[in-house]
PDB file of all heavy atoms in Angstrom:
ATOM      1  N   LYS A  51      40.252-104.282  98.935  1.00  0.00           N
ATOM      2  CA  LYS A  51      38.817-104.437  99.173  1.00  0.00           C
ATOM      3  C   LYS A  51      38.190-105.493  98.264  1.00  0.00           C
ATOM      4  O   LYS A  51      37.300-106.227  98.682  1.00  0.00           O
ATOM      5  CB  LYS A  51      38.122-103.092  98.978  1.00  0.00           C
ATOM      6  CG  LYS A  51      36.694-103.080  99.415  1.00  0.00           C
ATOM      7  CD  LYS A  51      36.202-101.679  99.412  1.00  0.00           C
ATOM      8  CE  LYS A  51      35.511-101.267 100.648  1.00  0.00           C
ATOM      9  NZ  LYS A  51      35.710-101.891 101.868  1.00  0.00           N
ATOM     10  N   GLY A  52      38.666-105.597  97.042  1.00  0.00           N
ATOM     11  CA  GLY A  52      38.115-106.603  96.124  1.00  0.00           C
ATOM     12  C   GLY A  52      38.316-108.010  96.650  1.00  0.00           C
ATOM     13  O   GLY A  52      37.417-108.855  96.555  1.00  0.00           O
ATOM     14  N   ILE A  53      39.465-108.279  97.230  1.00  0.00           N
ATOM     15  CA  ILE A  53      39.737-109.595  97.822  1.00  0.00           C
ATOM     16  C   ILE A  53      38.923-109.767  99.099  1.00  0.00           C
ATOM     17  O   ILE A  53      38.342-110.819  99.341  1.00  0.00           O
ATOM     18  CB  ILE A  53      41.245-109.746  98.111  1.00  0.00           C
ATOM     19  CG1 ILE A  53      42.037-109.716  96.805  1.00  0.00           C
ATOM     20  CG2 ILE A  53      41.527-111.035  98.895  1.00  0.00           C
ATOM     21  CD1 ILE A  53      43.534-109.620  96.996  1.00  0.00           C
ATOM     22  N   GLU A  54      38.868-108.725  99.880  1.00  0.00           N
ATOM     23  CA  GLU A  54      38.118-108.770 101.142  1.00  0.00           C
ATOM     24  C   GLU A  54      36.644-109.099 100.902  1.00  0.00           C
ATOM     25  O   GLU A  54      36.049-109.887 101.632  1.00  0.00           O
ATOM     26  CB  GLU A  54      38.264-107.418 101.867  1.00  0.00           C
ATOM     27  CG  GLU A  54      37.583-107.351 103.205  1.00  0.00           C
ATOM     28  CD  GLU A  54      36.229-106.684 103.169  1.00  0.00           C
ATOM     29  OE1 GLU A  54      35.961-105.896 102.248  1.00  0.00           O
ATOM     30  OE2 GLU A  54      35.417-106.959 104.050  1.00  0.00           O
ATOM     31  N   LYS A  55      36.071-108.517  99.880  1.00  0.00           N
ATOM     32  CA  LYS A  55      34.654-108.749  99.595  1.00  0.00           C
ATOM     33  C   LYS A  55      34.409-110.129  98.998  1.00  0.00           C
ATOM     34  O   LYS A  55      33.332-110.697  99.144  1.00  0.00           O
ATOM     35  CB  LYS A  55      34.114-107.666  98.647  1.00  0.00           C
ATOM     36  CG  LYS A  55      34.048-106.290  99.262  1.00  0.00           C
ATOM     37  CD  LYS A  55      33.079-106.251 100.425  1.00  0.00           C
ATOM     38  CE  LYS A  55      33.052-104.887 101.081  1.00  0.00           C
ATOM     39  NZ  LYS A  55      32.589-104.946 102.463  1.00  0.00           N
ATOM     40  N   LYS A  56      35.407-110.671  98.317  1.00  0.00           N
ATOM     41  CA  LYS A  56      35.241-111.953  97.623  1.00  0.00           C
ATOM     42  C   LYS A  56      35.322-113.146  98.578  1.00  0.00           C
ATOM     43  O   LYS A  56      34.700-114.175  98.346  1.00  0.00           O
ATOM     44  CB  LYS A  56      36.314-112.069  96.542  1.00  0.00           C
ATOM     45  CG  LYS A  56      36.153-113.249  95.626  1.00  0.00           C
ATOM     46  CD  LYS A  56      37.182-113.183  94.505  1.00  0.00           C
ATOM     47  CE  LYS A  56      37.026-114.394  93.598  1.00  0.00           C
ATOM     48  NZ  LYS A  56      38.033-114.394  92.534  1.00  0.00           N
ATOM     49  N   TYR A  57      36.097-112.996  99.656  1.00  0.00           N
ATOM     50  CA  TYR A  57      36.332-114.135 100.553  1.00  0.00           C
ATOM     51  C   TYR A  57      35.859-113.829 101.974  1.00  0.00           C
ATOM     52  O   TYR A  57      35.663-112.682 102.347  1.00  0.00           O
ATOM     53  CB  TYR A  57      37.825-114.477 100.579  1.00  0.00           C
ATOM     54  CG  TYR A  57      38.347-114.903  99.233  1.00  0.00           C
ATOM     55  CD1 TYR A  57      39.087-114.037  98.456  1.00  0.00           C
ATOM     56  CD2 TYR A  57      38.066-116.172  98.735  1.00  0.00           C
ATOM     57  CE1 TYR A  57      39.546-114.415  97.206  1.00  0.00           C
ATOM     58  CE2 TYR A  57      38.523-116.564  97.489  1.00  0.00           C
ATOM     59  CZ  TYR A  57      39.264-115.681  96.725  1.00  0.00           C
ATOM     60  OH  TYR A  57      39.704-116.067  95.483  1.00  0.00           O
ATOM     61  N   ASP A  58      35.708-114.880 102.750  1.00  0.00           N
ATOM     62  CA  ASP A  58      35.419-114.746 104.167  1.00  0.00           C
ATOM     63  C   ASP A  58      36.676-114.168 104.810  1.00  0.00           C
ATOM     64  O   ASP A  58      37.715-114.833 104.831  1.00  0.00           O
ATOM     65  CB  ASP A  58      35.085-116.128 104.746  1.00  0.00           C
ATOM     66  CG  ASP A  58      34.635-116.065 106.184  1.00  0.00           C
ATOM     67  OD1 ASP A  58      34.413-114.953 106.695  1.00  0.00           O
ATOM     68  OD2 ASP A  58      34.521-117.142 106.798  1.00  0.00           O
ATOM     69  N   SER A  59      36.614-112.955 105.279  1.00  0.00           N
ATOM     70  CA  SER A  59      37.811-112.244 105.700  1.00  0.00           C
ATOM     71  C   SER A  59      37.670-111.655 107.089  1.00  0.00           C
ATOM     72  O   SER A  59      36.565-111.360 107.543  1.00  0.00           O
ATOM     73  CB  SER A  59      38.105-111.082 104.734  1.00  0.00           C
ATOM     74  OG  SER A  59      38.233-111.542 103.426  1.00  0.00           O
ATOM     75  N   PHE A  60      38.802-111.468 107.724  1.00  0.00           N
ATOM     76  CA  PHE A  60      38.848-110.731 108.982  1.00  0.00           C
ATOM     77  C   PHE A  60      40.146-109.942 109.049  1.00  0.00           C
ATOM     78  O   PHE A  60      41.102-110.239 108.335  1.00  0.00           O
ATOM     79  CB  PHE A  60      38.686-111.654 110.191  1.00  0.00           C
ATOM     80  CG  PHE A  60      39.753-112.699 110.345  1.00  0.00           C
ATOM     81  CD1 PHE A  60      40.827-112.480 111.195  1.00  0.00           C
ATOM     82  CD2 PHE A  60      39.685-113.897 109.650  1.00  0.00           C
ATOM     83  CE1 PHE A  60      41.813-113.438 111.359  1.00  0.00           C
ATOM     84  CE2 PHE A  60      40.670-114.858 109.785  1.00  0.00           C
ATOM     85  CZ  PHE A  60      41.738-114.637 110.643  1.00  0.00           C
ATOM     86  N   LEU A  61      40.136-108.927 109.884  1.00  0.00           N
ATOM     87  CA  LEU A  61      41.272-108.005 109.998  1.00  0.00           C
ATOM     88  C   LEU A  61      41.854-108.065 111.401  1.00  0.00           C
ATOM     89  O   LEU A  61      41.120-108.109 112.387  1.00  0.00           O
ATOM     90  CB  LEU A  61      40.800-106.579 109.698  1.00  0.00           C
ATOM     91  CG  LEU A  61      41.813-105.453 109.928  1.00  0.00           C
ATOM     92  CD1 LEU A  61      42.956-105.535 108.914  1.00  0.00           C
ATOM     93  CD2 LEU A  61      41.115-104.098 109.834  1.00  0.00           C
ATOM     94  N   ILE A  62      43.179-108.038 111.464  1.00  0.00           N
ATOM     95  CA  ILE A  62      43.899-107.908 112.728  1.00  0.00           C
ATOM     96  C   ILE A  62      44.712-106.634 112.624  1.00  0.00           C
ATOM     97  O   ILE A  62      45.527-106.486 111.706  1.00  0.00           O
ATOM     98  CB  ILE A  62      44.822-109.114 112.978  1.00  0.00           C
ATOM     99  CG1 ILE A  62      44.013-110.404 112.970  1.00  0.00           C
ATOM    100  CG2 ILE A  62      45.584-108.938 114.293  1.00  0.00           C
ATOM    101  CD1 ILE A  62      44.789-111.621 112.563  1.00  0.00           C
ATOM    102  N   THR A  63      44.482-105.717 113.533  1.00  0.00           N
ATOM    103  CA  THR A  63      45.207-104.450 113.506  1.00  0.00           C
ATOM    104  C   THR A  63      45.397-103.941 114.926  1.00  0.00           C
ATOM    105  O   THR A  63      44.967-104.582 115.889  1.00  0.00           O
ATOM    106  CB  THR A  63      44.466-103.416 112.629  1.00  0.00           C
ATOM    107  OG1 THR A  63      45.308-102.279 112.448  1.00  0.00           O
ATOM    108  CG2 THR A  63      43.142-103.008 113.246  1.00  0.00           C
ATOM    109  N   GLU A  64      46.056-102.809 115.048  1.00  0.00           N
ATOM    110  CA  GLU A  64      46.331-102.234 116.361  1.00  0.00           C
ATOM    111  C   GLU A  64      45.180-101.341 116.815  1.00  0.00           C
ATOM    112  O   GLU A  64      44.518-100.713 115.995  1.00  0.00           O
ATOM    113  CB  GLU A  64      47.607-101.385 116.299  1.00  0.00           C
ATOM    114  CG  GLU A  64      48.840-102.172 115.983  1.00  0.00           C
ATOM    115  CD  GLU A  64      50.031-101.271 115.706  1.00  0.00           C
ATOM    116  OE1 GLU A  64      49.873-100.224 115.056  1.00  0.00           O
ATOM    117  OE2 GLU A  64      51.126-101.640 116.149  1.00  0.00           O
TER     118      GLU A  64
END
Side-chain angles (χ1 to χ4, degrees):
K51 190 170 229 23
I53 296 170
E54 182 261 337
K55 292 296 178 203
K56 188 174 179 182
Y57 298 103
D58 186 9
S59 303
F60 62 97
L61 173 68
I62 302 153
T63 190
E64 296 171 321

